[in-house]
Structures are given as structure tokens and as C-alpha cells.
Amino acid sequence: MIDQAVFDARVSRLEDALHKKCGVGGRDLRAKLRRAGRRLPKRVQKAGRMLTEAQARRGIPKLWLQVDGEETDRAFDTFDRHLETVNPVERRKGLALALTGTIVFNLLLVLGFLIFVLKWQDLI
């Protein structure tokens, strides 16, 4: 059995880390995990589902007794290990580079099509 105050503190710390590292917002852990979506690996998604189920049981004392403390500790550890590897600056750089690459590719495609049409019409 896990202490509810400790569980709530760890969930709060996890929500803050998700917001700072992954840039996801939301009113609770479930909303933040839904917004993070496929940016999280499968094992972290699974740990998140387990934690949200435990959080749902938190309000009902008889169901709270069914929550496995070791399993929740493993889920929190899985999240902590993953979030340690996330670098928000590198994530933003990657997004900027991907956007730039997409724009450049589209411009090259349009330019190629324009040259094709001009040659087809014997304008160049």
C-alpha cells in the first residue's frame, strides 16, 4: 500500500516535469498524457495508464487498497528515467529543423514544377 500524500506529491512532480520537458499542458495527469500522445515511448505510455488508473482509485478508500505500491514505484521510475533523457532545447531545435526541411522541400518541388511547365511551354 502506498501513502496517498506521497502519491499525490509524486504525481504533481511528474505533471510539472511533463510540462517543463515535453511542453504539454492540461488540468491533470490524464490530460497531459493524452496531449503527449505518441511522443512518449510505449513503456512510458503503459506506465502512464497505470498511474492514471491508480489516480482514479485514489478517491475511493476501498479501491485505493488495491493499488500496488511497487507497481506505482516502477511506473514513476519509468517516467523519471525517460524524462531525464528529454532535452527541451534539443526538442525545439529538432522541430525547427523539421519545419525548415519541409518548407525547403516544398519550395524545391514547386520550383521544379515551375521549370517543367516553362520548358513544356517553350518559354525557356
Side-chain angles (χ1 to χ4, degrees), residues 24 32-42 45 82:
V24 293
K32 288 181 181 185
L33 290 174
R34 190 177 327 113
R35 288 194 177 160
R38 294 190 307 189
R39 285 185 272 177
L40 299 174
K42 291 286 185 188
Q45 290 177 12
H82 173 69

Side-chain angles (χ1 to χ4, degrees), residues 20-68:
K20 289 178 186 173
K21 297 276 189 156
C22 297
V24 293
R27 57 183 170 82
D28 60 354
L29 182 62
R30 182 178 304 255
K32 288 181 181 185
L33 290 174
R34 190 177 327 113
R35 288 194 177 160
R38 294 190 307 189
R39 285 185 272 177
L40 299 174
K42 291 286 185 188
R43 62 182 168 76
V44 178
Q45 290 177 12
K46 183 179 176 184
R49 281 192 299 273
M50 200 295 282
L51 289 175
T52 55
E53 288 172 7
Q55 194 175 25
R57 292 179 181 190
R58 191 226 179 279
I60 305 167
K62 287 186 179 180
L63 290 180
W64 180 250
L65 294 174
Q66 296 176 356
V67 174
D68 185 17

Side-chain angles (χ1 to χ4, degrees), residues 8-9 19 59 69:
D8 289 340
H19 179 69

Side-chain angles (χ1 to χ4, degrees), residues 23-118:
V24 293
R27 57 183 170 82
D28 60 354
L29 182 62
R30 182 178 304 255
K32 288 181 181 185
L33 290 174
R34 190 177 327 113
R35 288 194 177 160
R38 294 190 307 189
R39 285 185 272 177
L40 299 174
K42 291 286 185 188
R43 62 182 168 76
V44 178
Q45 290 177 12
K46 183 179 176 184
R49 281 192 299 273
M50 200 295 282
L51 289 175
T52 55
E53 288 172 7
Q55 194 175 25
R57 292 179 181 190
R58 191 226 179 279
I60 305 167
K62 287 186 179 180
L63 290 180
W64 180 250
L65 294 174
Q66 296 176 356
V67 174
D68 185 17
E70 292 178 14
E71 191 176 346
T72 57
D73 286 339
R74 279 194 301 268
F76 280 119
D77 291 340
T78 301
F79 258 103
D80 290 339
R81 274 187 270 120
H82 173 69
L83 291 177
E84 284 175 1
T85 64
V86 174
N87 186 351
V89 175
E90 289 296 321
R91 185 180 57 84
R92 280 190 292 263
K93 281 183 191 176
L95 289 173
L97 287 173
L99 179 64
T100 304
T102 303
I103 291 171
V104 168
F105 176 75
N106 287 334
L107 285 174
L108 288 173
L109 202 62
V110 168
L111 184 64
F113 183 71
L114 180 65
I115 290 173
F116 172 75
V117 169
L118 290 176

